[in-house]
Amino acid sequence: MRVGIGPFGMALVGCGSAVPAASISNQQLGERVETSDEWIRSRTGIGARRVAGPDEPLTCLASRAAQLALDHAGWTADDLDLILLATSSPDDLFGTAPRVQGALGASRAVAFDLTAACSGFLFALITAGQYLGSGAMGRALVIGADQLSRWVDWDDRSTCVLFGDGAAAVAVEACGASDNGLLGFRMRSDGSRNACLTLAQLDRHAPLLGGLTAQQGGFAPIQMNGQEVYKFAVREVPAILAELLEATGTTPGQLDWLLLHQANQRILDAVADRFAVPHAQVLSNLAHYGNTSAATIPLMLDEAVKDGRVQPGHLLASSGFGAGLSWGAALLRWSGPRGAAQP
Ligand code: ACO
């Protein structure tokens, strides 16, 4: 057990988000594929999604979200020790986080990407919590950003209606036990079910020399077994949340909000019903943004913080889930900006 006054945990002290300017409604998508607003809304809750334009690459959205989170926390880029970017759709496979670092001018920080699809933000937040809670680092930005419009087959109505682009960031800092905002977590993955949802390298090889070939890089569009992913989500998310609540001695009635990955309103409602949490306490912005993958959780948090629903001290049960398959849960307490007097 840790004693003394050194760092113990991680406080969530700021947030920001950025989405592309262009919004495509369900009706508009109906001009491209055979679908309808009624079909999409009734099965998913999605009404529209944002799609990045040529001047809005992932780095741009992630950097805008990151700067807003810095501003909200009252920090400058020089304060940062760590920038973690959760994404499955990088601008550069060698890493997009350093580009964000460069855009912010956060020269003291180390920046790297973390890939875990729609679980990515939650996994990155938990990862940052280990650096901060151990005292190894003081201040971090955790960003969730995805531009899956790059990797969707826009002629496949079974997937293209689901996804959208966006970025959001949370500013976190080392703190003592009384301010700790990461009260518990669980993480899982199951590669035996990987084929349910993939964005995989093409199996494409070209002659190199002699009898040798070299693989030609490139990815196939998103492939998804929607029904299997749905069954996975409604089984595993309540199970991992129940495990987390029990481990932390928390009752559903103590929660202010459920902050779940925004994949499908039916999944959100099923999880809420499992814990008898009123639907009004289930944060949802699927109608406006669809599934922005690693961005959904911080995008939703930023909206609810800025419109005053989430208040300092509020307790949130969060769960991310998706490709991998991967899933996780965290019990979070929102602190909010700590003011100029704080270190
Ligand atoms: N518009 C109209 N009809 C459609 C559309 C569409 N956009 N898409 C599929 N259909 C049709 C199908 O062709 C099928 O027609 P058929 O009966 O004539 O064959 C019919 O609708 C039913 O298709 P299903 O796939 O069975 O539809 P379902 O009710 O399962 O809903 C959905 C599909 C919404 C995708 C659901 O399975 C789901 O939400 N799954 C979870 C998906 C998810 O959350 N994915 C993201 C995970 S997070 C990550 O890591 C990226």
Side-chain angles (χ1 to χ4, degrees):
M1 189 176 150
R2 190 188 297 266
V3 291
I5 57 167
F8 173 90
M10 170 177 85
L12 286 68
V13 299
C15 54
S17 64
V19 293
S23 179
I24 299 182
S25 68
N26 293 341
Q27 288 92 339
Q28 286 172 298
L29 259 192
E31 296 167 20
R32 170 85 187 210
V33 288
E34 199 181 326
T35 190
S36 66
D37 182 55
E38 195 283 326
W39 193 98
I40 301 171
R41 254 181 222 279
S42 63
R43 283 184 173 70
T44 70
I46 296 167
R49 70 285 299 144
R50 300 295 179 105
V51 174
D55 57 345
E56 298 170 313
L58 193 86
T59 302
C60 164
L61 294 175
S63 302
R64 273 169 46 202
Q67 184 61 55
L68 289 167
L70 282 180
D71 295 345
H72 189 222
W75 299 353
T76 68
D78 278 340
D79 293 327
L80 289 174
D81 300 307
L82 172 69
I83 299 169
L84 262 183
L85 173 62
T87 187
S88 307
S89 46
D91 287 340
D92 184 336
L93 284 179
F94 285 154
T96 302
R99 294 189 184 200
V100 175
Q101 174 193 13
L104 295 174
S107 53
R108 284 185 51 249
V110 61
F112 59 95
D113 292 9
L114 185 153
T115 298
C118 299
S119 310
F121 175 79
L122 205 74
F123 283 14
L125 189 69
I126 293 164
T127 302
Q130 310 315 301
Y131 292 110
L132 300 179
S134 69
M137 293 183 179
R139 284 178 164 172
L141 272 184
V142 182
I143 309 167
D146 265 307
Q147 193 180 341
L148 290 183
S149 63
R150 285 171 163 165
W151 298 113
V152 156
D153 175 353
W154 286 101
D155 294 317
D156 175 5
R157 68 177 182 174
S158 69
T159 53
C160 76
V161 301
L162 303 175
F163 298 104
D165 300 336
V170 174
V172 285
E173 71 181 358
C175 66
S178 59
D179 292 331
N180 186 24
L182 179 60
L183 302 167
F185 65 85
R186 289 286 185 275
M187 299 161 85
R188 300 264 193 287
S189 58
D190 178 3
S192 72
R193 290 186 274 174
N194 178 260
C196 288
L197 183 50
T198 58
L199 203 180
Q201 273 282 346
L202 291 165
D203 189 17
R204 192 173 58 179
H205 298 257
L208 180 62
L209 51 91
L212 298 175
T213 60
Q215 189 169 1
Q216 303 295 289
F219 293 87
I222 293 171
Q223 311 269 334
M224 183 178 74
N225 182 332
Q227 291 187 359
E228 283 305 313
V229 174
Y230 186 86
K231 282 189 273 179
F232 147 73
V234 295
R235 186 172 51 238
E236 302 294 4
V237 175
I240 202 165
L241 279 169
E243 198 183 309
L244 178 66
L245 293 181
E246 190 183 339
T248 54
T250 309
T251 63
Q254 292 175 292
L255 299 173
D256 293 294
W257 302 103
L258 275 181
L259 174 61
L260 307 178
H261 169 50
Q262 309 279 300
N264 184 316
Q265 189 63 43
R266 288 189 298 162
I267 296 174
L268 304 193
D269 292 343
V271 176
D273 292 345
R274 161 67 177 75
F275 295 103
V277 171
H279 287 200
Q281 284 172 247
V282 184
L283 295 169
S284 173
N285 60 9
L286 270 163
H288 306 296
Y289 303 113
N291 179 349
T292 55
S293 196
T296 65
I297 291 175
L299 189 61
M300 186 65 254
L301 179 67
D302 184 50
E303 181 181 314
V305 165
K306 301 290 167 65
D307 69 18
R309 274 177 289 173
V310 170
Q311 294 284 324
H314 274 186
L315 192 61
L316 303 99
S318 186
S319 179
F321 52 92
L325 295 178
S326 61
W327 64 107
L331 188 63
L332 305 172
R333 195 178 293 285
W334 173 252
S335 289
R338 284 138 77 89
Q342 298 294 329

mmCIF file of all heavy atoms in Angstrom, residues 2 7-12 82 84 114 121-142 170 172-175 180-183 185 187 332:
data_model
loop_
_atom_site.group_PDB
_atom_site.id
_atom_site.type_symbol
_atom_site.label_atom_id
_atom_site.label_comp_id
_atom_site.label_asym_id
_atom_site.label_seq_id
_atom_site.Cartn_x
_atom_site.Cartn_y
_atom_site.Cartn_z
ATOM 1 N N ARG A 2 0.479 2.222 -0.792
ATOM 2 C CA ARG A 2 1.273 3.444 -0.910
ATOM 3 C C ARG A 2 1.022 4.343 0.303
ATOM 4 O O ARG A 2 -0.096 4.515 0.741
ATOM 5 C CB ARG A 2 0.846 4.172 -2.175
ATOM 6 C CG ARG A 2 1.730 5.321 -2.551
ATOM 7 C CD ARG A 2 1.071 6.044 -3.701
ATOM 8 N NE ARG A 2 0.960 5.176 -4.858
ATOM 9 C CZ ARG A 2 1.862 5.147 -5.838
ATOM 10 N NH1 ARG A 2 2.924 5.911 -5.779
ATOM 11 N NH2 ARG A 2 1.698 4.354 -6.858
ATOM 12 N N PRO A 7 2.549 11.318 -5.566
ATOM 13 C CA PRO A 7 1.441 11.014 -6.477
ATOM 14 C C PRO A 7 0.823 9.662 -6.152
ATOM 15 O O PRO A 7 1.498 8.758 -5.669
ATOM 16 C CB PRO A 7 2.128 10.990 -7.842
ATOM 17 C CG PRO A 7 3.341 11.824 -7.676
ATOM 18 C CD PRO A 7 3.786 11.612 -6.261
ATOM 19 N N PHE A 8 -0.444 9.577 -6.419
ATOM 20 C CA PHE A 8 -1.173 8.352 -6.135
ATOM 21 C C PHE A 8 -2.059 7.989 -7.311
ATOM 22 O O PHE A 8 -2.209 6.837 -7.668
ATOM 23 C CB PHE A 8 -2.051 8.573 -4.894
ATOM 24 C CG PHE A 8 -2.977 7.437 -4.599
ATOM 25 C CD1 PHE A 8 -2.584 6.390 -3.788
ATOM 26 C CD2 PHE A 8 -4.265 7.412 -5.153
ATOM 27 C CE1 PHE A 8 -3.433 5.338 -3.525
ATOM 28 C CE2 PHE A 8 -5.123 6.360 -4.895
ATOM 29 C CZ PHE A 8 -4.703 5.325 -4.077
ATOM 30 N N GLY A 9 -2.625 9.000 -7.933
ATOM 31 C CA GLY A 9 -3.585 8.749 -9.002
ATOM 32 C C GLY A 9 -3.531 9.807 -10.078
ATOM 33 O O GLY A 9 -2.505 10.469 -10.264
ATOM 34 N N MET A 10 -4.654 9.943 -10.751
ATOM 35 C CA MET A 10 -4.729 10.808 -11.925
ATOM 36 C C MET A 10 -6.031 11.586 -11.842
ATOM 37 O O MET A 10 -7.094 10.996 -11.675
ATOM 38 C CB MET A 10 -4.723 9.901 -13.162
ATOM 39 C CG MET A 10 -5.026 10.589 -14.459
ATOM 40 S SD MET A 10 -4.906 9.417 -15.828
ATOM 41 C CE MET A 10 -6.544 8.683 -15.823
ATOM 42 N N ALA A 11 -5.938 12.914 -11.965
ATOM 43 C CA ALA A 11 -7.140 13.746 -11.955
ATOM 44 C C ALA A 11 -7.466 14.182 -13.381
ATOM 45 O O ALA A 11 -6.571 14.516 -14.164
ATOM 46 C CB ALA A 11 -6.923 14.965 -11.072
ATOM 47 N N LEU A 12 -8.755 14.174 -13.716
ATOM 48 C CA LEU A 12 -9.222 14.594 -15.050
ATOM 49 C C LEU A 12 -9.590 16.071 -14.954
ATOM 50 O O LEU A 12 -10.579 16.430 -14.312
ATOM 51 C CB LEU A 12 -10.443 13.773 -15.475
ATOM 52 C CG LEU A 12 -10.205 12.316 -15.905
ATOM 53 C CD1 LEU A 12 -9.767 11.445 -14.732
ATOM 54 C CD2 LEU A 12 -11.465 11.731 -16.520
ATOM 55 N N LEU A 82 3.539 14.018 -21.507
ATOM 56 C CA LEU A 82 3.097 12.862 -22.302
ATOM 57 C C LEU A 82 1.906 13.248 -23.169
ATOM 58 O O LEU A 82 0.985 13.921 -22.706
ATOM 59 C CB LEU A 82 2.682 11.732 -21.339
ATOM 60 C CG LEU A 82 2.019 10.496 -21.932
ATOM 61 C CD1 LEU A 82 3.019 9.687 -22.773
ATOM 62 C CD2 LEU A 82 1.454 9.599 -20.815
ATOM 63 N N LEU A 84 -0.604 10.960 -25.502
ATOM 64 C CA LEU A 84 -0.986 9.622 -25.990
ATOM 65 C C LEU A 84 -2.132 9.812 -26.976
ATOM 66 O O LEU A 84 -3.158 10.396 -26.627
ATOM 67 C CB LEU A 84 -1.487 8.783 -24.817
ATOM 68 C CG LEU A 84 -0.514 7.816 -24.164
ATOM 69 C CD1 LEU A 84 -1.231 7.032 -23.060
ATOM 70 C CD2 LEU A 84 0.056 6.857 -25.183
ATOM 71 N N LEU A 114 -1.378 4.817 -29.721
ATOM 72 C CA LEU A 114 -1.837 3.563 -29.116
ATOM 73 C C LEU A 114 -3.046 3.111 -29.931
ATOM 74 O O LEU A 114 -3.948 3.914 -30.181
ATOM 75 C CB LEU A 114 -2.212 3.815 -27.654
ATOM 76 C CG LEU A 114 -2.615 2.634 -26.776
ATOM 77 C CD1 LEU A 114 -2.290 2.942 -25.311
ATOM 78 C CD2 LEU A 114 -4.079 2.284 -26.926
ATOM 79 N N PHE A 121 -9.360 4.875 -26.628
ATOM 80 C CA PHE A 121 -9.266 6.002 -25.690
ATOM 81 C C PHE A 121 -9.219 5.502 -24.259
ATOM 82 O O PHE A 121 -8.395 5.961 -23.459
ATOM 83 C CB PHE A 121 -10.440 6.983 -25.865
ATOM 84 C CG PHE A 121 -10.393 8.059 -24.819
ATOM 85 C CD1 PHE A 121 -9.527 9.132 -24.948
ATOM 86 C CD2 PHE A 121 -11.169 7.971 -23.670
ATOM 87 C CE1 PHE A 121 -9.429 10.102 -23.951
ATOM 88 C CE2 PHE A 121 -11.082 8.930 -22.675
ATOM 89 C CZ PHE A 121 -10.214 9.998 -22.830
ATOM 90 N N LEU A 122 -10.099 4.554 -23.936
ATOM 91 C CA LEU A 122 -10.132 4.057 -22.555
ATOM 92 C C LEU A 122 -8.803 3.393 -22.198
ATOM 93 O O LEU A 122 -8.257 3.610 -21.101
ATOM 94 C CB LEU A 122 -11.286 3.073 -22.380
ATOM 95 C CG LEU A 122 -11.788 2.978 -20.953
ATOM 96 C CD1 LEU A 122 -12.595 4.202 -20.590
ATOM 97 C CD2 LEU A 122 -12.625 1.728 -20.769
ATOM 98 N N PHE A 123 -8.265 2.600 -23.116
ATOM 99 C CA PHE A 123 -6.978 1.954 -22.857
ATOM 100 C C PHE A 123 -5.870 3.005 -22.693
ATOM 101 O O PHE A 123 -4.978 2.855 -21.852
ATOM 102 C CB PHE A 123 -6.617 0.989 -23.999
ATOM 103 C CG PHE A 123 -7.369 -0.335 -23.968
ATOM 104 C CD1 PHE A 123 -8.484 -0.523 -23.179
ATOM 105 C CD2 PHE A 123 -6.920 -1.400 -24.757
ATOM 106 C CE1 PHE A 123 -9.173 -1.740 -23.165
ATOM 107 C CE2 PHE A 123 -7.595 -2.631 -24.744
ATOM 108 C CZ PHE A 123 -8.725 -2.793 -23.955
ATOM 109 N N ALA A 124 -5.927 4.067 -23.493
ATOM 110 C CA ALA A 124 -4.903 5.114 -23.397
ATOM 111 C C ALA A 124 -5.031 5.881 -22.091
ATOM 112 O O ALA A 124 -4.022 6.235 -21.458
ATOM 113 C CB ALA A 124 -5.012 6.058 -24.593
ATOM 114 N N LEU A 125 -6.261 6.143 -21.675
ATOM 115 C CA LEU A 125 -6.475 6.849 -20.409
ATOM 116 C C LEU A 125 -5.929 6.023 -19.247
ATOM 117 O O LEU A 125 -5.252 6.550 -18.352
ATOM 118 C CB LEU A 125 -7.976 7.117 -20.224
ATOM 119 C CG LEU A 125 -8.367 8.024 -19.072
ATOM 120 C CD1 LEU A 125 -7.925 9.463 -19.333
ATOM 121 C CD2 LEU A 125 -9.888 7.989 -18.851
ATOM 122 N N ILE A 126 -6.207 4.734 -19.277
ATOM 123 C CA ILE A 126 -5.709 3.842 -18.222
ATOM 124 C C ILE A 126 -4.177 3.784 -18.270
ATOM 125 O O ILE A 126 -3.508 3.786 -17.224
ATOM 126 C CB ILE A 126 -6.337 2.438 -18.384
ATOM 127 C CG1 ILE A 126 -7.837 2.502 -18.111
ATOM 128 C CG2 ILE A 126 -5.648 1.423 -17.479
ATOM 129 C CD1 ILE A 126 -8.622 1.286 -18.615
ATOM 130 N N THR A 127 -3.620 3.755 -19.470
ATOM 131 C CA THR A 127 -2.162 3.726 -19.620
ATOM 132 C C THR A 127 -1.541 5.002 -19.047
ATOM 133 O O THR A 127 -0.565 4.946 -18.282
ATOM 134 C CB THR A 127 -1.786 3.570 -21.109
ATOM 135 O OG1 THR A 127 -2.377 2.365 -21.595
ATOM 136 C CG2 THR A 127 -0.276 3.520 -21.300
ATOM 137 N N ALA A 128 -2.130 6.139 -19.387
ATOM 138 C CA ALA A 128 -1.622 7.403 -18.839
ATOM 139 C C ALA A 128 -1.691 7.374 -17.315
ATOM 140 O O ALA A 128 -0.782 7.868 -16.626
ATOM 141 C CB ALA A 128 -2.434 8.577 -19.384
ATOM 142 N N GLY A 129 -2.757 6.762 -16.798
ATOM 143 C CA GLY A 129 -2.921 6.683 -15.351
ATOM 144 C C GLY A 129 -1.779 5.960 -14.665
ATOM 145 O O GLY A 129 -1.433 6.280 -13.512
ATOM 146 N N GLN A 130 -1.159 5.010 -15.379
ATOM 147 C CA GLN A 130 -0.048 4.266 -14.773
ATOM 148 C C GLN A 130 1.196 5.157 -14.668
ATOM 149 O O GLN A 130 1.906 5.126 -13.671
ATOM 150 C CB GLN A 130 0.271 3.003 -15.568
ATOM 151 C CG GLN A 130 -0.938 2.129 -15.868
ATOM 152 C CD GLN A 130 -1.837 1.956 -14.661
ATOM 153 O OE1 GLN A 130 -1.405 1.466 -13.615
ATOM 154 N NE2 GLN A 130 -3.093 2.374 -14.791
ATOM 155 N N TYR A 131 1.470 5.952 -15.703
ATOM 156 C CA TYR A 131 2.619 6.872 -15.660
ATOM 157 C C TYR A 131 2.416 7.949 -14.586
ATOM 158 O O TYR A 131 3.354 8.315 -13.869
ATOM 159 C CB TYR A 131 2.815 7.556 -17.015
ATOM 160 C CG TYR A 131 3.269 6.634 -18.119
ATOM 161 C CD1 TYR A 131 2.419 6.309 -19.164
ATOM 162 C CD2 TYR A 131 4.564 6.107 -18.135
ATOM 163 C CE1 TYR A 131 2.828 5.473 -20.194
ATOM 164 C CE2 TYR A 131 4.981 5.280 -19.161
ATOM 165 C CZ TYR A 131 4.104 4.962 -20.186
ATOM 166 O OH TYR A 131 4.519 4.138 -21.198
ATOM 167 N N LEU A 132 1.188 8.453 -14.503
ATOM 168 C CA LEU A 132 0.924 9.555 -13.568
ATOM 169 C C LEU A 132 0.834 9.051 -12.138
ATOM 170 O O LEU A 132 1.394 9.650 -11.222
ATOM 171 C CB LEU A 132 -0.362 10.276 -13.965
ATOM 172 C CG LEU A 132 -0.369 10.905 -15.364
ATOM 173 C CD1 LEU A 132 -1.703 11.568 -15.660
ATOM 174 C CD2 LEU A 132 0.742 11.925 -15.521
ATOM 175 N N GLY A 133 0.147 7.930 -11.957
ATOM 176 C CA GLY A 133 -0.035 7.400 -10.611
ATOM 177 C C GLY A 133 1.265 6.931 -9.979
ATOM 178 O O GLY A 133 1.415 6.945 -8.754
ATOM 179 N N SER A 134 2.205 6.502 -10.831
ATOM 180 C CA SER A 134 3.494 6.030 -10.307
ATOM 181 C C SER A 134 4.413 7.197 -9.960
ATOM 182 O O SER A 134 5.463 7.003 -9.352
ATOM 183 C CB SER A 134 4.199 5.166 -11.360
ATOM 184 O OG SER A 134 4.621 5.970 -12.448
ATOM 185 N N GLY A 135 4.048 8.384 -10.385
ATOM 186 C CA GLY A 135 4.903 9.545 -10.153
ATOM 187 C C GLY A 135 5.947 9.744 -11.230
ATOM 188 O O GLY A 135 6.752 10.671 -11.165
ATOM 189 N N ALA A 136 5.938 8.888 -12.260
ATOM 190 C CA ALA A 136 6.943 9.005 -13.329
ATOM 191 C C ALA A 136 6.716 10.249 -14.184
ATOM 192 O O ALA A 136 7.656 10.802 -14.742
ATOM 193 C CB ALA A 136 6.900 7.762 -14.212
ATOM 194 N N MET A 137 5.471 10.674 -14.289
ATOM 195 C CA MET A 137 5.140 11.848 -15.102
ATOM 196 C C MET A 137 4.107 12.683 -14.363
ATOM 197 O O MET A 137 3.392 12.177 -13.487
ATOM 198 C CB MET A 137 4.582 11.419 -16.460
ATOM 199 C CG MET A 137 5.607 10.730 -17.341
ATOM 200 S SD MET A 137 4.896 10.333 -18.943
ATOM 201 C CE MET A 137 6.322 9.591 -19.751
ATOM 202 N N GLY A 138 4.006 13.957 -14.773
ATOM 203 C CA GLY A 138 3.109 14.866 -14.060
ATOM 204 C C GLY A 138 1.839 15.221 -14.813
ATOM 205 O O GLY A 138 0.753 15.209 -14.247
ATOM 206 N N ARG A 139 1.989 15.544 -16.105
ATOM 207 C CA ARG A 139 0.822 16.010 -16.855
ATOM 208 C C ARG A 139 0.779 15.360 -18.237
ATOM 209 O O ARG A 139 1.821 15.253 -18.905
ATOM 210 C CB ARG A 139 0.846 17.532 -16.997
ATOM 211 C CG ARG A 139 0.456 18.235 -15.705
ATOM 212 C CD ARG A 139 0.517 19.721 -15.806
ATOM 213 N NE ARG A 139 -0.210 20.332 -14.700
ATOM 214 C CZ ARG A 139 -0.215 21.625 -14.422
ATOM 215 N NH1 ARG A 139 0.450 22.473 -15.186
ATOM 216 N NH2 ARG A 139 -0.903 22.092 -13.402
ATOM 217 N N ALA A 140 -0.406 14.990 -18.659
ATOM 218 C CA ALA A 140 -0.556 14.282 -19.939
ATOM 219 C C ALA A 140 -1.825 14.721 -20.651
ATOM 220 O O ALA A 140 -2.792 15.158 -20.021
ATOM 221 C CB ALA A 140 -0.595 12.778 -19.700
ATOM 222 N N LEU A 141 -1.778 14.585 -21.969
ATOM 223 C CA LEU A 141 -2.989 14.710 -22.781
ATOM 224 C C LEU A 141 -3.293 13.338 -23.352
ATOM 225 O O LEU A 141 -2.407 12.710 -23.961
ATOM 226 C CB LEU A 141 -2.778 15.664 -23.957
ATOM 227 C CG LEU A 141 -3.027 17.154 -23.778
ATOM 228 C CD1 LEU A 141 -2.844 17.855 -25.120
ATOM 229 C CD2 LEU A 141 -4.399 17.441 -23.203
ATOM 230 N N VAL A 142 -4.508 12.881 -23.177
ATOM 231 C CA VAL A 142 -4.944 11.630 -23.792
ATOM 232 C C VAL A 142 -5.962 12.002 -24.872
ATOM 233 O O VAL A 142 -6.990 12.620 -24.581
ATOM 234 C CB VAL A 142 -5.572 10.684 -22.754
ATOM 235 C CG1 VAL A 142 -5.965 9.374 -23.421
ATOM 236 C CG2 VAL A 142 -4.601 10.436 -21.607
ATOM 237 N N VAL A 170 -8.499 14.667 -23.366
ATOM 238 C CA VAL A 170 -8.682 14.920 -21.933
ATOM 239 C C VAL A 170 -7.316 15.209 -21.327
ATOM 240 O O VAL A 170 -6.337 14.500 -21.608
ATOM 241 C CB VAL A 170 -9.368 13.721 -21.239
ATOM 242 C CG1 VAL A 170 -9.418 13.934 -19.733
ATOM 243 C CG2 VAL A 170 -10.786 13.523 -21.785
ATOM 244 N N VAL A 172 -4.989 15.258 -18.123
ATOM 245 C CA VAL A 172 -4.936 14.520 -16.851
ATOM 246 C C VAL A 172 -3.627 14.834 -16.140
ATOM 247 O O VAL A 172 -2.595 15.030 -16.780
ATOM 248 C CB VAL A 172 -5.077 12.992 -17.067
ATOM 249 C CG1 VAL A 172 -6.505 12.612 -17.386
ATOM 250 C CG2 VAL A 172 -4.152 12.481 -18.165
ATOM 251 N N GLU A 173 -3.681 14.853 -14.806
ATOM 252 C CA GLU A 173 -2.438 15.130 -14.072
ATOM 253 C C GLU A 173 -2.326 14.276 -12.822
ATOM 254 O O GLU A 173 -3.327 13.822 -12.266
ATOM 255 C CB GLU A 173 -2.309 16.607 -13.747
ATOM 256 C CG GLU A 173 -3.249 17.132 -12.702
ATOM 257 C CD GLU A 173 -3.029 18.633 -12.482
ATOM 258 O OE1 GLU A 173 -2.138 19.220 -13.111
ATOM 259 O OE2 GLU A 173 -3.767 19.208 -11.674
ATOM 260 N N ALA A 174 -1.074 14.054 -12.406
ATOM 261 C CA ALA A 174 -0.810 13.276 -11.196
ATOM 262 C C ALA A 174 -1.418 13.990 -9.992
ATOM 263 O O ALA A 174 -1.440 15.218 -9.931
ATOM 264 C CB ALA A 174 0.700 13.114 -11.015
ATOM 265 N N CYS A 175 -1.921 13.195 -9.065
ATOM 266 C CA CYS A 175 -2.572 13.805 -7.891
ATOM 267 C C CYS A 175 -2.533 12.836 -6.717
ATOM 268 O O CYS A 175 -2.180 11.667 -6.871
ATOM 269 C CB CYS A 175 -4.030 14.142 -8.228
ATOM 270 S SG CYS A 175 -5.031 12.688 -8.518
ATOM 271 N N ASN A 180 -8.088 11.597 -6.892
ATOM 272 C CA ASN A 180 -7.951 10.573 -7.922
ATOM 273 C C ASN A 180 -9.234 10.413 -8.736
ATOM 274 O O ASN A 180 -10.316 10.245 -8.189
ATOM 275 C CB ASN A 180 -7.578 9.235 -7.269
ATOM 276 C CG ASN A 180 -7.288 8.160 -8.290
ATOM 277 O OD1 ASN A 180 -6.919 8.466 -9.434
ATOM 278 N ND2 ASN A 180 -7.446 6.907 -7.887
ATOM 279 N N GLY A 181 -9.067 10.439 -10.076
ATOM 280 C CA GLY A 181 -10.224 10.304 -10.952
ATOM 281 C C GLY A 181 -10.288 8.979 -11.678
ATOM 282 O O GLY A 181 -11.216 8.745 -12.449
ATOM 283 N N LEU A 182 -9.293 8.115 -11.465
ATOM 284 C CA LEU A 182 -9.325 6.766 -12.057
ATOM 285 C C LEU A 182 -9.450 5.786 -10.892
ATOM 286 O O LEU A 182 -8.469 5.339 -10.305
ATOM 287 C CB LEU A 182 -8.057 6.498 -12.873
ATOM 288 C CG LEU A 182 -7.948 5.126 -13.533
ATOM 289 C CD1 LEU A 182 -9.088 4.874 -14.516
ATOM 290 C CD2 LEU A 182 -6.594 4.979 -14.261
ATOM 291 N N LEU A 183 -10.701 5.470 -10.551
ATOM 292 C CA LEU A 183 -10.970 4.755 -9.300
ATOM 293 C C LEU A 183 -10.875 3.244 -9.455
ATOM 294 O O LEU A 183 -10.857 2.518 -8.473
ATOM 295 C CB LEU A 183 -12.357 5.154 -8.793
ATOM 296 C CG LEU A 183 -12.492 6.667 -8.571
ATOM 297 C CD1 LEU A 183 -13.936 7.070 -8.368
ATOM 298 C CD2 LEU A 183 -11.656 7.113 -7.389
ATOM 299 N N PHE A 185 -10.294 -0.014 -12.902
ATOM 300 C CA PHE A 185 -10.426 -0.309 -14.336
ATOM 301 C C PHE A 185 -10.296 -1.801 -14.587
ATOM 302 O O PHE A 185 -9.763 -2.543 -13.758
ATOM 303 C CB PHE A 185 -9.403 0.472 -15.163
ATOM 304 C CG PHE A 185 -7.959 0.096 -14.899
ATOM 305 C CD1 PHE A 185 -7.377 -0.973 -15.564
ATOM 306 C CD2 PHE A 185 -7.210 0.813 -13.992
ATOM 307 C CE1 PHE A 185 -6.052 -1.322 -15.326
ATOM 308 C CE2 PHE A 185 -5.876 0.465 -13.742
ATOM 309 C CZ PHE A 185 -5.303 -0.591 -14.408
ATOM 310 N N MET A 187 -9.462 -4.342 -18.275
ATOM 311 C CA MET A 187 -9.165 -4.359 -19.718
ATOM 312 C C MET A 187 -9.145 -5.808 -20.202
ATOM 313 O O MET A 187 -8.617 -6.674 -19.515
ATOM 314 C CB MET A 187 -7.778 -3.747 -19.989
ATOM 315 C CG MET A 187 -7.636 -2.314 -19.562
ATOM 316 S SD MET A 187 -5.896 -1.844 -19.381
ATOM 317 C CE MET A 187 -5.502 -1.416 -21.062
ATOM 318 N N LEU A 332 -14.647 6.548 -13.282
ATOM 319 C CA LEU A 332 -13.974 7.846 -13.368
ATOM 320 C C LEU A 332 -14.676 8.890 -12.512
ATOM 321 O O LEU A 332 -15.902 8.857 -12.362
ATOM 322 C CB LEU A 332 -13.982 8.336 -14.831
ATOM 323 C CG LEU A 332 -13.394 7.389 -15.885
ATOM 324 C CD1 LEU A 332 -13.649 7.934 -17.297
ATOM 325 C CD2 LEU A 332 -11.881 7.208 -15.655
#
